Amino acid sequence: MKKIIFTFIAILVLGAFKFFAQETIVSNITEYNNTIKLAKPGDVIVLKNGVWEDVKLNAHGQGEKGNPILVKAETAGEVIITGNSTLNIYGDYIIVSGLWFKDGNTEYKSVVQFKKDSKTFANNCRLTNCTISYYKSKENLKDHWVDLWGKNNRVDHNNFTGKTSEGTTLVVWLKGEEHVENNHRIDNNFFGTRPDLGKNGGETIRIGTSTNSKKSSKTLVERNIFANCDGEIEIISNKSCDNVYRDNLFVGSQGTLTLRHGDHALVERNVFLGNGVSKTGGVRIINSNHIIRNNLFVGLLGDGFRGPIVIMNGVPNSPLNRYEQVKNVDIQNNTIINSGPISFGEGKDDEKTLAAVHTNFSNNLIFNDKPGKNILFLDDVSGISFNNNYIDALTPQVINGFKATKIDWKEIGSFPIPTANNKDLLVTKNNTSLQKDINNSIRETFNAGAFNLDANTLPKALKLRAGPGWTPNIVAPIVKAEEITVEPGLETLRKAIDKASPGAVLNLKTGAYILEKKIKVVKNITIIGDKGGASIIMAKKDIEKPIDYLFRVNEGVTLHISNAILDGVNSDLKYAIVSPDKQEAGIYNLFVDNITFQNFTNKDGGSVFKAYNGTKADTLSFVNSRFENNYRGLNLSYDKDIMEQYNANTIIIDNTIFKNIEEAAINYYRKTLSPEIPGGNLIITNSVFSNVYNEEKGKVIRTDGIGSVSITNSVIEDSFKVTTPVSLKGSNNSISNCLIHNSGFVKTSGKAKKENLLYKNPKWEDKVLFIPSDKSPLLKVNNDIGNIGLKQ
């Protein structure tokens, strides 16, 4: 009887507790503030659907384990937080759910932070089922979207997409003992597009800082997706100790999971997919006592610091913010497929002189059916133990510690899995052998690589459904182009481009814009010079470290530049404009209008424009422009040893002059078995080529192997030593309605077409501006074909 009475009383007590918990709907910030300050364990505060603009939400209180205070949207995804807004979570057992921070413009340093102030933090709190998208900060503010403080907090099932401002997307802080051994969880989130910032500070996740890097964080990062996170080379920056990274998926992200500072990190069961994107990498290793095991790397195109596995060199007596020597690191049972080279001793220079020691690299599997090196030894590797690593590669490398083999594969969902036929891959078990594989399945037999032989399932990372339980329809906001007036002077243009927002228009005045450092264009930019004057862009004379180009257009970027003079005078410049760096294959665009390129005379490989190996422009357009007194014009010929590789889909030359060019005006090359195979497109209209490559074997325009070439209404003259100014081959190559004078004869073959070619004196009235006289055969009234030459 006593037992029955006790049970009945217990039910009454629990029922009473639930009875006093309240659910309250609030429709504005005043109602919310009045409600949250009275919240008790178990209370639910519901934010009414709609737009909440310019609000400071403080989610705080003293909830209890199993009975938290919940702040949630009336309908997940339909409470829009925007404008100059922020959310502070602090106290104990607080949950915030279902909010969408959308297209804001904040003056706060955090969109969400797990603290109130420097003394009041969050413990056992949670941000879940939310989205932050395209929330930008005021000018020059380095903001974070989430700042994690306190202990035992969780950020899960959220979507973070479109951070464009400086500052890490999500930061875990260890400043103060209240945050050490924090046991935070960052799980099941979708980290979406983060464009290249062009400098440090664009990490997606950072755990710790160099100052606190020897403190233990014990943060768990698992089951997240990182897609197109290109902010900087460090997608994740580990800067503390005892963190775990497992079951995450990295897709098309141009960087690496970087163990930058701190020790004792565990990196396991992650999948890294390049998806054909250049600069995609895997894991970069610095410091001590890390474990990197059972990871899968597929199609990563990065090299150097962005390789699939990179072991860095260290600095003697390294300060906390530099590079500690790699020690006691265990790298086992990883699989690397069709990726860039694994690098040992990366970064070796006069400062980073310490190679890795007491490090184990064993039971790893490498496959590559594409040409190129798969292993790079850049320094002494005697401190690394290599055992039972197997390699099946198109380019053989005989390297100690790597055994050549041929792998038999099967496919699961287009992913290759080694079959049980691979007896070569069986290894002897020892006290360091891994007991489970990438699927967390027991290893009944022991073999190299991340998978058990004949595995029948894919890793968790490839089955993730990360992000909120609702699907945000995220659309990048349309932003009116920022207009900036730039004054002439030293470095004014480069600094203006660095500060400008993507899509900005920079207006130049008449005067000289002098560079001490080259400009890397990492965002869409338009540069407009003074059309009525002369905006001159040039390098500073006699600088201590000479620069080799004025502009580099990075992959994924479009540069428009007009109404200016780019001058190579009095400098060691080799180029005016260059493509992305070699093997950075992302598409880019360059549109040039009314630009004069002059005095680029460096003969050590120089040209006005250079395309590096393995790069590709979609469109290179030069209209109403002038190339004068240069060594070379456009040089897109560096992939001459790679079949079917070419450096631009389309080149447009319209109403443009090439005068006094020592070698080819255009060198556009593709190695191909047949010019009938599509690839490359050159369109030249109403242009003049005067005194270009004036040598017997010189080609004014070289288009070897290019699939489609059209040259119309143009003039080639005064290259009197040239035998064949243009040689066209292939049914989609043609030249028509052109005049050639004192420059040899056009050659066609393989069904290429030539028609209405005049071999006559053009009879100029103005030889500088190339204006024809009244009796010129360039005029339609005199040739019965049509006007030839520049548009007058």
Side-chain angles (χ1 to χ4, degrees):
M1 182 66 180
K2 288 183 179 179
K3 183 176 181 181
I4 295 173
I5 293 173
F6 176 79
T7 304
F8 179 69
I9 292 172
I11 291 171
L12 285 176
V13 170
L14 289 172
F17 182 83
K18 293 296 184 183
F19 180 81
F20 288 114
Q22 296 184 31
E23 180 173 305
T24 306
I25 297 178
V26 296
S27 57
N28 57 58
I29 191 64
T30 301
E31 291 178 7
Y32 172 82
N33 288 335
N34 290 336
T35 304
I36 191 70
K37 66 184 179 182
L38 300 175
K40 303 179 300 296
D43 281 359
V44 178
I45 302 174
V46 179
L47 276 63
K48 191 170 181 59
N49 291 347
V51 176
W52 293 59
E53 187 170 2
D54 299 336
V55 293
K56 183 176 183 180
L57 287 168
N58 292 308
H60 61 96
Q62 296 298 315
E64 296 174 348
K65 186 175 182 179
N67 213 23
I69 296 170
L70 173 60
V71 177
K72 70 170 190 173
E74 181 180 13
T75 304
E78 295 187 24
V79 172
I80 307 300
I81 313 296
T82 192
N84 184 27
S85 297
T86 189
L87 166 65
N88 299 326
I89 303 171
Y90 54 94
D92 288 281
Y93 294 102
I94 310 296
I95 299 177
V96 177
S97 175
L99 309 183
W100 187 351
F101 296 84
K102 183 179 181 183
D103 303 343
N105 190 12
T106 181
E107 295 176 348
Y108 295 99
K109 290 186 176 181
S110 309
V111 178
V112 179
Q113 64 173 347
F114 282 67
K115 72 171 187 176
K116 175 186 178 183
D117 50 38
S118 60
K119 296 181 180 179
T120 310
F121 308 104
N123 295 294
N124 305 296
C125 294
R126 184 179 179 191
L127 177 74
T128 187
N129 204 35
C130 294
T131 290
I132 306 177
S133 64
Y134 290 97
Y135 223 84
K136 66 178 184 177
S137 64
K138 299 291 187 181
E139 186 177 359
N140 299 323
L141 178 66
K142 296 180 181 180
D143 69 320
H144 307 133
W145 277 4
V146 179
D147 280 315
L148 265 171
W149 300 84
K151 294 187 178 183
N152 304 310
N153 297 310
R154 186 180 181 194
V155 177
D156 67 286
H157 295 91
N158 302 291
N159 185 312
F160 304 108
T161 294
K163 190 175 194 304
T164 58
S165 56
E166 286 190 63
T168 307
T169 305
L170 188 157
V171 182
V172 175
W173 293 95
L174 283 86
K175 185 179 179 182
E177 291 303 314
E178 305 94 332
H179 318 290
V180 175
E181 295 190 351
N182 53 65
N183 294 300
H184 295 319
R185 291 180 61 193
I186 303 166
D187 64 283
N188 293 285
N189 301 288
F190 180 86
F191 293 92
T193 299
R194 172 110 205 235
D196 186 355
L197 188 62
K199 52 187 170 182
N200 290 336
E203 305 99 327
T204 297
I205 294 178
R206 191 185 78 232
I207 303 177
T209 59
S210 57
T211 303
N212 295 302
S213 59
K214 292 304 181 182
K215 294 180 180 179
S216 176
S217 184
K218 293 187 176 179
T219 294
L220 173 61
V221 179
E222 67 175 349
R223 297 195 299 273
N224 301 284
I225 295 176
F226 300 86
N228 308 116
C229 294
D230 306 333
E232 64 149 87
I233 190 172
E234 298 178 18
I235 303 168
I236 296 177
S237 184
N238 182 88
K239 293 186 175 180
S240 53
C241 299
D242 305 311
N243 299 312
V244 176
Y245 305 93
R246 69 184 179 210
D247 297 323
N248 299 289
L249 176 63
F250 298 79
V251 183
S253 292
Q254 297 182 323
T256 64
L257 191 171
T258 303
L259 306 179
R260 184 64 184 88
H261 301 303
D263 307 314
H264 297 280
L266 172 61
V267 180
E268 65 175 354
R269 305 197 306 259
N270 303 284
V271 176
F272 299 80
L273 304 179
N275 271 18
V277 177
S278 66
K279 297 195 290 189
T280 46
V283 180
R284 185 160 65 108
I285 303 159
I286 307 147
N287 283 62
S288 303
N289 297 297
H290 304 307
I291 298 172
I292 297 91
R293 66 190 185 197
N294 285 334
N295 299 286
L296 175 63
F297 308 87
V298 181
L300 303 177
L301 300 185
D303 57 11
F305 282 25
R306 285 182 165 90
I309 298 176
V310 181
I311 298 179
M312 295 289 295
N313 260 23
V315 175
N317 302 310
S318 175
L320 288 174
N321 66 344
R322 294 302 295 145
Y323 289 82
E324 288 195 12
Q325 186 179 21
V326 173
K327 298 178 183 178
N328 303 314
V329 170
D330 186 33
I331 305 168
Q332 283 200 70
N333 285 97
N334 301 285
T335 295
I336 302 97
I337 298 175
N338 286 341
S339 294
I342 299 168
S343 186
F344 299 92
E346 188 61 55
K348 179 185 178 182
D349 56 21
D350 292 342
E351 181 197 26
K352 295 187 282 294
T353 58
L354 298 180
V357 294
H358 309 305
T359 290
N360 176 38
F361 190 91
S362 298
N363 305 325
N364 298 290
L365 181 62
I366 302 161
F367 173 83
N368 206 328
D369 62 6
K370 297 176 174 58
K373 290 187 175 181
N374 295 281
I375 310 292
L376 295 177
F377 290 160
L378 303 176
D379 200 356
D380 175 30
V381 292
S382 61
I384 303 175
S385 174
F386 295 96
N387 298 289
N388 300 317
N389 300 291
Y390 290 86
I391 181 167
D392 179 358
L394 184 64
T395 303
Q397 283 181 269
V398 181
I399 298 177
N400 188 32
F402 295 84
K403 301 176 183 179
T405 189
K406 288 294 179 183
I407 302 171
D408 183 57
W409 302 97
K410 69 176 184 179
E411 283 193 359
I412 301 179
S414 79
F415 285 91
I417 309 292
T419 71
N421 297 328
N422 294 284
K423 304 303 181 185
D424 277 1
L425 302 184
L426 295 176
V427 299
T428 303
K429 179 182 178 181
N430 58 44
N431 59 358
T432 67
S433 296
L434 304 186
Q435 301 302 310
K436 295 184 178 180
D437 77 344
I438 191 171
N439 294 321
N440 212 27
S441 300
I442 297 294
R443 289 184 180 269
E444 301 291 349
T445 58
F446 291 84
N447 60 271
F451 291 91
N452 278 331
L453 297 182
D454 245 358
N456 289 313
T457 186
L458 292 175
K460 284 183 181 179
L462 292 171
K463 305 173 187 177
L464 290 175
R465 295 293 182 267
W470 51 281
T471 303
N473 181 23
I474 298 174
V475 178
I478 298 173
V479 180
K480 183 181 178 181
E482 175 188 22
E483 292 222 18
I484 303 169
T485 299
V486 186
E487 298 290 337
L490 181 65
E491 286 290 280
T492 55
L493 178 57
R494 186 182 62 80
K495 291 176 181 178
I497 290 175
D498 283 349
K499 291 181 180 179
S501 59
V505 177
L506 277 61
N507 295 301
L508 311 186
K509 296 182 176 181
T510 289
Y513 293 81
I514 302 171
L515 305 182
E516 286 185 310
K517 298 179 181 179
K518 45 199 174 185
I519 294 175
K520 295 181 181 179
V521 184
V522 300
K523 50 201 166 189
N524 296 343
I525 288 289
T526 297
I527 300 171
I528 302 176
D530 186 351
K531 193 170 184 178
S535 303
I536 304 171
I537 304 171
M538 58 197 301
K540 184 181 179 183
K541 185 178 180 181
D542 298 327
I543 53 180
E544 185 176 346
K545 293 183 178 179
I547 58 177
D548 54 349
Y549 61 79
L550 296 175
F551 295 94
R552 160 160 277 154
V553 188
N554 272 20
E555 55 186 354
V557 167
T558 296
L559 171 64
H560 288 82
I561 183 167
S562 61
N563 306 335
I565 299 168
L566 273 61
D567 201 335
V569 71
N570 298 326
S571 70
D572 293 317
L573 284 168
K574 294 180 72 172
Y575 320 107
I577 304 175
V578 300
S579 73
D581 205 353
K582 59 183 180 179
Q583 305 308 323
E584 295 185 1
I587 293 293
Y588 68 99
N589 293 283
L590 173 63
F591 294 92
V592 171
D593 186 359
N594 192 29
I595 295 291
T596 295
F597 299 96
Q598 63 189 30
N599 303 317
F600 290 89
T601 56
N602 190 318
K603 296 184 180 182
D604 184 18
S607 57
V608 170
F609 173 85
K610 175 181 177 177
Y612 283 85
N613 301 61
T615 63
K616 182 170 284 188
D618 184 53
T619 302
L620 300 175
S621 175
F622 298 85
V623 301
N624 308 319
S625 294
R626 190 176 184 105
F627 296 70
E628 187 164 11
N629 300 328
N630 301 302
Y631 177 55
R632 293 172 176 155
L634 312 181
N635 196 355
L636 298 93
S637 67
Y638 286 90
D639 282 313
K640 57 187 175 183
D641 296 325
I642 305 174
M643 187 67 66
E644 303 302 337
Q645 183 72 46
Y646 53 101
N647 294 116
N649 290 330
T650 301
I651 301 176
I652 298 170
I653 308 292
D654 180 45
N655 203 46
T656 288
I657 297 165
F658 292 83
K659 180 179 180 181
N660 300 336
I661 311 295
E662 194 165 333
E663 290 198 357
I666 302 164
N667 190 352
Y668 187 22
Y669 181 90
R670 178 177 66 129
K671 183 178 182 179
T672 182
L673 295 172
S674 168
E676 300 304 319
I677 298 174
N681 186 27
L682 175 63
I683 304 168
I684 300 175
T685 54
N686 297 101
S687 294
V688 174
F689 301 83
S690 180
N691 187 26
V692 176
Y693 213 160
N694 196 9
E695 297 179 10
E696 183 178 351
K697 294 184 178 180
K699 288 282 194 300
V700 175
I701 302 166
R702 186 185 183 203
T703 62
D704 296 21
I706 299 304
S708 177
V709 177
S710 173
I711 305 172
T712 58
N713 302 326
S714 295
V715 177
I716 300 173
E717 63 140 33
D718 285 359
S719 300
F720 60 90
K721 293 181 182 179
V722 169
T723 303
T724 307
V726 180
S727 179
L728 301 179
K729 186 176 183 180
S731 59
N732 290 314
N733 279 216
S734 66
I735 180 169
S736 62
N737 302 345
C738 292
L739 182 146
I740 294 90
H741 177 249
N742 209 9
S743 300
F745 296 88
V746 171
K747 180 180 178 180
T748 58
S749 60
K751 298 183 180 180
K753 305 175 187 69
K754 59 180 176 180
E755 58 184 3
N756 297 331
L757 301 187
L758 304 177
Y759 290 90
K760 295 182 177 181
N761 190 321
K763 296 182 181 179
W764 302 112
E765 178 179 306
D766 188 325
K767 178 72 172 178
V768 175
L769 299 178
F770 293 99
I771 298 172
S773 68
D774 291 342
K775 296 182 178 181
S776 171
L778 298 174
L779 301 178
K780 182 178 180 180
V781 294
N782 299 325
N783 64 32
D784 296 325
I785 299 172
N787 289 334
I788 300 171
L790 303 180
K791 300 170 184 175
Q792 305 298 327

